[in-house]
Amino acid sequence: QVQLQESGPRLVKPSQTLSLTCSVSGGSISSGGYYYSWIRQHPEKGLEWIGRIFYTGATSYNPSLKSRVTISADMSENEFSLKLASVTAADTAVYYCVTELGPPINGFDVWGQGTTVTVSS
Amino acid sequence: DIVLTQTPLSSSVALGQPATIFCRSTESLVDSDGNTYLSWLQQRPGQPPRHLIYQVSNRYSGAPDRFSGSGAGTDFTLKISRVEAEDVGIYYCMQATQFPQRMFTFGQGTKLEVK
């Protein structure tokens, strides 16, 4: 069973770049069984899909964040990463790394526990 | 953009009683492939969400059979036949569009309390 663990700074200053890494255990990104995604959950608000990466390196991003987001993967370390540039207080959220399934599910299977990132000076 | 609106925003249901949550979309969720990618997720307190229902009415792996989904087009329902204490949490509907890329939007969530 795949397990995911997020890591990275919990506090980021406005205008800087938020960087998170998701370590994958119990399975290999390069096996191609899943897409690997990031989802965030704003305080007292709902969920927002940020984007995904496939083992081929192909990425897709939420259009609302596309200009600021980069998702990459390191197959040798079996981990994938999120970078979100030019952050503001609106980017304060719990960030989850998630395994994503295509059709017929078109949903999410395994979730990390989430990491809270606060944007503040 | 598709917007999903859930009602009620919160609900308090007695143990053993049924619970119903509604999700309405601003446009039809029937995909070009003929399928409807409407899912329901459960988020227990302090936990990440988990998938309960996919394609309107299919229970995901591990979802108890007291959970059922129904609906079509723009209107969807999640029903819990007999609420248990462990059902406390927030329930989200979620839709997936496939073109030009697969992406997801979520309802605002319904908080379920068990009394």
Side-chain angles (χ1 to χ4, degrees), chain B residues 22-43:
Chain B
F22 300 97
C23 177
R24 172 165 285 177
S25 173
T26 51
E27 55 188 89
S28 173
L29 297 185
V30 179
D31 198 85
S32 56
D33 66 5
N35 295 314
T36 300
Y37 296 107
L38 188 284
S39 294
W40 290 94
L41 284 66
Q42 175 196 57
Q43 185 173 28

Side-chain angles (χ1 to χ4, degrees), chain A residues 35-65:
Chain A
Y35 298 83
Y36 291 85
S37 286
W38 290 94
I39 291 174
R40 68 182 182 180
Q41 185 167 30
H42 298 276
E44 305 304 324
K45 292 186 181 179
L47 297 154
E48 182 177 31
W49 176 76
I50 299 171
R52 74 169 69 83
I53 190 164
F54 197 43
Y55 79 102
T56 57
T59 54
S60 297
Y61 302 124
N62 188 321
S64 68
L65 297 168

